[in-house]
Amino acid sequence: QVQLVEFGGGLVQTGGSLTLSCAASGSIFSYNTMGWYRQAPGKQRELVASITSTGWKNYADSLKGRFTISRDSAKNTLYLQMNSLKPEDTAMYYCNARKGMVTGTYDYWGQGTQVTVSS
């Protein structure tokens, strides 16, 4: 069973930084793509950043330059470094793992970690 557990959310002031972690069960290379999504109250869940098993990274255009996705294969952990945080970054952040199998493509989600940026 796939388990994703996020850590690192919290309350930070505008301009501050946070690093989110996502500990995955099993090797992170067993997933085609891993990524971070966020959902603010009343809004749809949106992609923040993702990384493929081969290391290709993708970012939401509005977040390029402030957020960095990375991984540590030895720890089976995905990270999201967030700098220059703004109040509009306030949201629940979710870790995602996508796995393609013969029977189809499956998405797995963590429980989420809250990030609140105060003005």
Side-chain angles (χ1 to χ4, degrees), residues 14-107:
T14 296
S17 299
L18 278 176
T19 299
L20 305 183
S21 303
C22 171
S25 59
S27 169
I28 58 175
F29 292 116
S30 68
Y31 306 109
N32 298 93
T33 306
M34 292 190 74
W36 291 95
Y37 289 71
R38 68 183 184 184
Q39 188 168 18
K43 295 187 177 181
Q44 289 188 330
R45 190 172 295 189
E46 62 177 359
L47 173 70
V48 174
S50 63
I51 182 169
T52 68
S53 57
T54 57
W56 185 80
K57 299 178 183 180
N58 181 45
Y59 294 92
D61 287 340
S62 61
L63 301 176
K64 287 180 181 177
R66 292 197 299 124
F67 288 18
T68 302
I69 191 169
S70 63
R71 63 190 176 188
D72 185 333
S73 58
K75 296 180 180 180
N76 290 325
T77 300
L78 182 73
Y79 301 99
L80 183 70
Q81 173 68 43
M82 305 184 292
N83 298 323
S84 302
L85 284 163
K86 305 174 182 180
E88 50 264 42
D89 295 319
T90 295
M92 186 71 80
Y93 284 71
Y94 296 92
C95 179
N96 168 267
R98 178 165 293 175
K99 194 167 189 175
M101 294 186 281
V102 174
T103 53
T105 299
Y106 298 88
D107 278 302

